[in-house]
Coordinates of all heavy atoms in Angstrom, one line a residue:
D1 N 39.0 10.9 -48.1 CA 40.1 10.0 -47.8 C 39.8 8.9 -46.7 O 40.3 7.8 -46.7 CB 41.3 10.8 -47.3 CG 41.0 11.8 -46.2 OD1 39.9 12.5 -46.4 OD2 41.7 12.0 -45.3
A2 N 38.7 9.3 -45.9 CA 38.3 8.3 -44.9 C 37.6 7.1 -45.6 O 37.5 6.0 -45.0 CB 37.4 8.9 -43.9
M3 N 37.1 7.3 -46.7 CA 36.4 6.2 -47.5 C 37.4 5.2 -48.0 O 37.1 4.0 -48.1 CB 35.7 6.8 -48.7 CG 34.5 7.7 -48.4 SD 33.2 6.9 -47.5 CE 32.1 8.3 -47.5
H4 N 38.7 5.7 -48.2 CA 39.7 4.8 -48.7 C 40.6 4.1 -47.7 O 41.3 3.1 -47.9 CB 40.5 5.5 -49.7 CG 39.8 6.0 -50.9 ND1 39.4 5.2 -52.0 CD2 39.3 7.3 -51.3 CE1 38.8 5.9 -52.9 NE2 38.6 7.1 -52.5
Q5 N 40.6 4.7 -46.5 CA 41.4 4.2 -45.4 C 40.9 2.8 -45.1 O 39.7 2.5 -45.3 CB 41.3 5.0 -44.1 CG 41.9 6.4 -44.3 CD 41.6 7.3 -43.0 OE1 40.9 6.8 -42.1 NE2 42.0 8.5 -43.0
E6 N 41.8 2.0 -44.6 CA 41.4 0.6 -44.1 C 41.5 0.5 -42.6 O 42.4 1.1 -42.0 CB 42.2 -0.5 -44.8 CG 42.0 -0.7 -46.3 CD 42.5 -1.9 -46.9 OE1 43.3 -2.6 -46.1 OE2 42.1 -2.3 -48.0
A7 N 40.7 -0.2 -42.0 CA 40.7 -0.4 -40.6 C 40.0 -1.7 -40.2 O 39.2 -2.2 -40.9 CB 40.0 0.8 -39.9
R8 N 40.4 -2.2 -39.0 CA 39.8 -3.4 -38.4 C 39.0 -2.9 -37.2 O 39.6 -2.6 -36.2 CB 40.8 -4.4 -38.1 CG 41.6 -5.0 -39.3 CD 42.5 -6.1 -38.8 NE 41.8 -7.3 -38.3 CZ 42.3 -8.2 -37.6 NH1 43.6 -8.2 -37.3 NH2 41.5 -9.3 -37.2
V9 N 37.7 -2.8 -37.4 CA 36.8 -2.4 -36.3 C 35.6 -3.3 -36.2 O 35.2 -3.8 -37.2 CB 36.4 -0.9 -36.5 CG1 37.5 0.0 -36.3 CG2 35.8 -0.7 -37.8
P10 N 35.1 -3.5 -35.0 CA 33.9 -4.4 -34.9 C 32.6 -3.6 -35.3 O 32.6 -2.4 -35.3 CB 33.8 -4.6 -33.4 CG 34.5 -3.5 -32.8 CD 35.6 -3.1 -33.7
D11 N 31.7 -4.4 -35.9 CA 30.4 -3.8 -36.2 C 29.6 -3.5 -34.9 O 29.7 -4.3 -33.9 CB 29.5 -4.8 -37.1 CG 30.2 -4.9 -38.4 OD1 30.7 -3.9 -39.0 OD2 30.2 -6.1 -38.9
L12 N 28.8 -2.5 -34.9 CA 28.1 -2.1 -33.7 C 26.6 -2.4 -34.0 O 26.1 -2.2 -35.1 CB 28.3 -0.6 -33.3 CG 29.7 -0.2 -33.0 CD1 29.7 1.3 -32.7 CD2 30.2 -1.0 -31.7
P13 N 25.8 -2.8 -32.9 CA 24.3 -2.9 -33.1 C 23.7 -1.5 -33.1 O 24.3 -0.5 -32.6 CB 23.9 -3.7 -31.9 CG 25.0 -3.3 -30.8 CD 26.2 -3.1 -31.6
P14 N 22.5 -1.4 -33.6 CA 21.8 -0.1 -33.6 C 21.6 0.3 -32.2 O 21.1 -0.5 -31.4 CB 20.6 -0.3 -34.4 CG 20.3 -1.8 -34.3 CD 21.7 -2.4 -34.3
P15 N 21.9 1.5 -31.8 CA 21.7 2.0 -30.5 C 20.2 2.1 -30.1 O 19.4 2.4 -31.0 CB 22.4 3.3 -30.4 CG 22.3 3.9 -31.8 CD 22.4 2.6 -32.7
T16 N 19.8 1.9 -28.9 CA 18.5 2.0 -28.5 C 18.2 3.5 -28.2 O 18.9 4.1 -27.4 CB 18.2 1.1 -27.2 OG1 18.5 -0.2 -27.5 CG2 16.8 1.2 -26.7
P17 N 17.1 4.0 -28.7 CA 16.8 5.4 -28.5 C 16.5 5.6 -27.0 O 16.0 4.7 -26.3 CB 15.5 5.6 -29.3 CG 15.6 4.6 -30.4 CD 16.2 3.4 -29.8
V18 N 16.8 6.8 -26.5 CA 16.6 7.1 -25.1 C 15.4 8.0 -25.0 O 15.3 9.1 -25.6 CB 17.9 7.8 -24.6 CG1 17.6 8.3 -23.1 CG2 19.1 7.0 -24.7
H19 N 14.4 7.5 -24.2 CA 13.2 8.3 -24.0 C 12.8 8.2 -22.5 O 12.6 7.1 -22.0 CB 12.0 7.7 -24.8 CG 12.2 7.8 -26.3 ND1 12.4 9.0 -27.0 CD2 12.3 6.8 -27.2 CE1 12.6 8.7 -28.3 NE2 12.6 7.4 -28.5
P20 N 12.7 9.4 -21.9 CA 12.5 9.3 -20.4 C 11.0 9.1 -20.1 O 10.1 9.3 -20.9 CB 12.8 10.8 -20.0 CG 12.6 11.6 -21.2 CD 13.0 10.7 -22.4
A21 N 10.8 8.4 -19.0 CA 9.4 8.2 -18.5 C 9.1 9.3 -17.5 O 10.0 9.8 -16.9 CB 9.3 6.8 -17.8
P22 N 7.8 9.6 -17.4 CA 7.5 10.7 -16.4 C 7.7 10.3 -15.0 O 7.5 9.1 -14.6 CB 6.0 10.9 -16.7 CG 5.4 9.6 -17.3 CD 6.6 9.1 -18.1
A23 N 8.1 11.2 -14.2 CA 8.4 10.9 -12.7 C 7.0 10.8 -12.0 O 6.0 11.5 -12.3 CB 9.2 12.1 -12.1
A24 N 7.0 9.9 -11.0 CA 5.8 9.7 -10.2 C 5.2 11.0 -9.6 O 4.0 11.3 -9.6 CB 6.1 8.7 -9.2
P25 N 6.1 11.9 -9.0 CA 5.5 13.1 -8.5 C 4.9 14.0 -9.5 O 3.8 14.7 -9.2 CB 6.8 13.8 -7.8 CG 7.7 12.7 -7.6 CD 7.5 11.7 -8.7
D26 N 5.4 14.0 -10.7 CA 4.8 14.8 -11.8 C 3.4 14.3 -12.1 O 2.5 15.0 -12.3 CB 5.7 14.8 -13.0 CG 6.9 15.6 -12.9 OD1 6.9 16.5 -12.0 OD2 7.9 15.4 -13.6
M27 N 3.3 13.0 -12.2 CA 2.0 12.4 -12.5 C 1.0 12.6 -11.4 O -0.2 12.8 -11.7 CB 2.2 10.9 -12.8 CG 3.0 10.6 -14.1 SD 2.4 11.4 -15.6 CE 0.8 10.6 -15.7
E28 N 1.4 12.6 -10.2 CA 0.5 12.9 -9.1 C 0.0 14.4 -9.1 O -1.1 14.6 -8.9 CB 1.2 12.6 -7.7 CG 0.4 12.9 -6.5 CD -1.0 12.2 -6.5 OE1 -1.0 11.0 -7.0 OE2 -1.9 12.7 -5.9
Q29 N 0.9 15.3 -9.4 CA 0.6 16.7 -9.6 C -0.4 16.8 -10.8 O -1.4 17.6 -10.8 CB 1.8 17.6 -9.8 CG 1.4 19.1 -9.8 CD 2.7 20.0 -9.9 OE1 3.8 19.5 -9.8 NE2 2.4 21.2 -10.1
L30 N -0.1 16.1 -11.8 CA -1.0 16.1 -13.0 C -2.4 15.6 -12.7 O -3.4 16.2 -13.1 CB -0.4 15.3 -14.2 CG -1.4 15.2 -15.4 CD1 -1.6 16.5 -16.0 CD2 -0.7 14.2 -16.4
R31 N -2.5 14.6 -11.9 CA -3.8 14.0 -11.4 C -4.6 15.1 -10.7 O -5.8 15.3 -10.9 CB -3.6 12.8 -10.5 CG -4.9 12.1 -10.2 CD -4.6 11.2 -9.0 NE -4.3 11.9 -7.8 CZ -5.2 12.6 -7.0 NH1 -6.4 12.6 -7.3 NH2 -4.7 13.2 -6.0
T32 N -3.9 15.8 -9.8 CA -4.6 16.9 -9.1 C -5.1 18.0 -10.0 O -6.3 18.4 -9.9 CB -3.6 17.5 -8.0 OG1 -3.2 16.5 -7.2 CG2 -4.3 18.6 -7.3
L33 N -4.3 18.4 -11.0 CA -4.7 19.4 -11.9 C -5.9 19.0 -12.8 O -6.8 19.7 -13.1 CB -3.5 19.9 -12.8 CG -2.4 20.6 -12.1 CD1 -1.2 20.8 -13.1 CD2 -2.9 21.9 -11.5
C34 N -5.8 17.8 -13.2 CA -6.9 17.2 -14.1 C -8.2 17.1 -13.3 O -9.3 17.4 -13.9 CB -6.5 15.8 -14.6 SG -5.2 15.8 -15.8
A35 N -8.1 16.7 -12.0 CA -9.3 16.5 -11.3 C -10.0 17.9 -11.0 O -11.3 17.9 -10.8 CB -9.0 15.9 -9.9
A36 N -9.2 19.0 -11.0 CA -9.8 20.3 -10.7 C -10.3 21.0 -12.0 O -11.1 22.0 -11.9 CB -8.7 21.2 -10.1
A37 N -10.0 20.5 -13.2 CA -10.3 21.1 -14.5 C -11.8 20.9 -14.8 O -12.3 19.8 -14.6 CB -9.4 20.5 -15.6
R38 N -12.5 21.9 -15.3 CA -13.8 21.9 -15.8 C -13.9 22.0 -17.3 O -14.9 21.6 -17.9 CB -14.6 22.9 -15.1 CG -14.8 22.7 -13.6 CD -15.5 21.4 -13.3 NE -15.5 21.1 -11.8 CZ -14.6 20.4 -11.2 NH1 -13.6 19.8 -11.9 NH2 -14.7 20.2 -9.9
R39 N -12.9 22.6 -17.9 CA -12.9 22.8 -19.3 C -11.5 22.5 -19.9 O -10.7 23.3 -20.4 CB -13.3 24.3 -19.7 CG -14.6 24.7 -19.3 CD -15.0 26.1 -19.7 NE -14.0 27.0 -19.2 CZ -14.0 27.5 -18.0 NH1 -14.9 27.2 -17.1 NH2 -13.1 28.4 -17.6
P40 N -11.1 21.2 -19.8 CA -9.7 20.8 -20.2 C -9.7 20.6 -21.7 O -10.7 20.3 -22.4 CB -9.5 19.5 -19.5 CG -10.9 18.9 -19.3 CD -11.9 20.1 -19.2
L41 N -8.5 20.7 -22.3 CA -8.2 20.3 -23.7 C -6.9 19.5 -23.7 O -5.9 19.9 -23.1 CB -8.0 21.6 -24.5 CG -9.2 22.1 -25.3 CD1 -8.8 23.5 -26.0 CD2 -9.6 21.1 -26.4
L42 N -7.0 18.4 -24.4 CA -5.8 17.6 -24.7 C -5.3 17.9 -26.1 O -6.0 17.7 -27.1 CB -6.2 16.1 -24.5 CG -5.1 15.1 -24.8 CD1 -3.9 15.3 -23.9 CD2 -5.6 13.7 -24.6
L43 N -4.1 18.3 -26.2 CA -3.4 18.8 -27.4 C -2.3 17.9 -27.7 O -1.3 17.8 -26.9 CB -3.0 20.2 -27.3 CG -2.3 20.8 -28.5 CD1 -3.1 20.8 -29.8 CD2 -1.8 22.2 -28.2
L44 N -2.4 17.1 -28.8 CA -1.4 16.1 -29.2 C -0.6 16.6 -30.4 O -1.1 17.3 -31.4 CB -2.0 14.8 -29.6 CG -3.0 14.2 -28.6 CD1 -3.6 12.9 -29.1 CD2 -2.3 13.9 -27.3
G45 N 0.7 16.2 -30.5 CA 1.5 16.5 -31.7 C 2.8 15.7 -31.7 O 3.0 14.8 -31.0
G46 N 3.7 16.1 -32.6 CA 5.0 15.5 -32.7 C 5.0 14.2 -33.4 O 4.0 13.7 -33.9

């Protein structure tokens, strides 16, 4: 029934996806952990 209803509504633009950026303290802690590593592995996915 919603297909047949009539309405006056504005078109919307496509929404911008929301993706967080890493926090500066997290990156600083990561830098410390990386500097101490001797056998690191980088694992990528998704």
Side-chain angles (χ1 to χ4, degrees):
D1 48 318
M3 299 292 184
H4 297 283
Q5 293 173 3
E6 290 196 347
R8 295 185 65 194
V9 289
D11 293 318
L12 297 178
T16 302
V18 178
H19 299 296
D26 288 339
M27 294 306 295
E28 179 57 30
Q29 186 177 349
L30 175 61
R31 185 196 65 77
T32 301
L33 292 173
C34 291
R38 295 297 175 264
R39 298 182 305 278
L41 262 174
L42 178 57
L43 177 59
L44 307 177

